[in-house]
Amino acid sequence: MLFAIDPGSKVVGWSAFDNSKLPTLIACGLLRATSLTKMYQEARRAFYDYMGADVVIECPQSYSQRHLQKGPQQDLITIALVGGIVASAANPTSIRSVLPREWKGQVDANVMLQRILKRLTDTERSLIERVKPVSLLHNCIDSAGLGLWAVGRL
């Protein structure tokens, strides 16, 4: 079992892949909470059936050139903290931290989302399409992309 986590300061996208010969997306969703404690509790509930999975998590990246940074530097610390809390909620067997450039390079975000969706089967895409609200769906798609990359499908 593999969990892929795309952390954010207020919203976390997650995807679960099975251990089959061709690992398949079996569940995905969004975690949203107003405090770190509530985020941990939400993650424990969401991950309950998948405890002990291996975890791959996107680590926020700081850029020395300010124009490349998407928000305040402090947000990176919050995102890393939320990511660690969510990853620990899965009681993982292992945790692998990956920088965005390691798995998706410098590809435009919208182009990458389309690439990820194309790599998913119809059944996997239908799981993602059920996630609401649609305005936050990119977080779930990113976690699925990270998972696909980790299992060698992207």
Side-chain angles (χ1 to χ4, degrees):
M1 178 73 59
L2 175 80
F3 264 122
I5 299 171
D6 178 39
S9 58
K10 294 184 179 16
V11 178
V12 174
W14 65 271
S15 297
F17 290 79
D18 66 14
N19 283 332
S20 63
K21 195 170 195 172
L22 179 65
T24 303
L25 177 69
I26 57 170
C28 58
L30 297 172
L31 302 173
R32 299 184 336 173
T34 55
S35 72
L36 295 175
T37 301
K38 288 180 181 176
M39 185 67 80
Y40 177 80
Q41 292 167 342
E42 287 295 313
R44 289 293 287 190
R45 276 192 284 280
F47 302 165
Y48 183 78
D49 292 332
Y50 312 108
M51 292 292 175
D54 294 314
V55 170
V56 60
I57 184 168
E58 186 178 83
C59 180
Q61 184 171 354
S62 175
Y63 296 94
S64 59
Q65 297 173 322
R66 279 206 159 308
H67 71 280
L68 295 175
Q69 195 65 42
K70 289 186 179 178
Q73 291 285 324
Q74 183 61 37
D75 285 357
L76 297 177
I77 296 167
T78 302
I79 293 168
L81 180 60
V82 168
I85 287 169
V86 169
S88 70
N91 194 24
T93 302
S94 68
I95 301 174
R96 178 179 178 193
S97 173
V98 180
L99 292 171
R101 71 169 182 259
E102 291 178 76
W103 77 271
K104 58 184 173 183
Q106 300 297 320
V107 177
D108 174 77
N110 291 321
V111 170
M112 193 64 197
L113 292 175
Q114 291 307 310
R115 284 184 187 172
I116 293 165
L117 290 170
K118 285 181 183 176
R119 292 295 177 115
L120 295 169
T121 66
D122 290 342
T123 303
E124 291 171 325
R125 260 191 310 281
S126 72
L127 289 172
I128 286 183
E129 289 167 356
R130 292 181 206 154
V131 174
K132 304 290 184 232
V134 173
S135 62
L136 299 176
L137 193 58
H138 64 280
N139 296 288
C140 190
I141 297 170
D142 256 5
S143 72
L146 178 59
L148 288 172
W149 175 83
V151 300
R153 290 181 49 198
L154 182 66

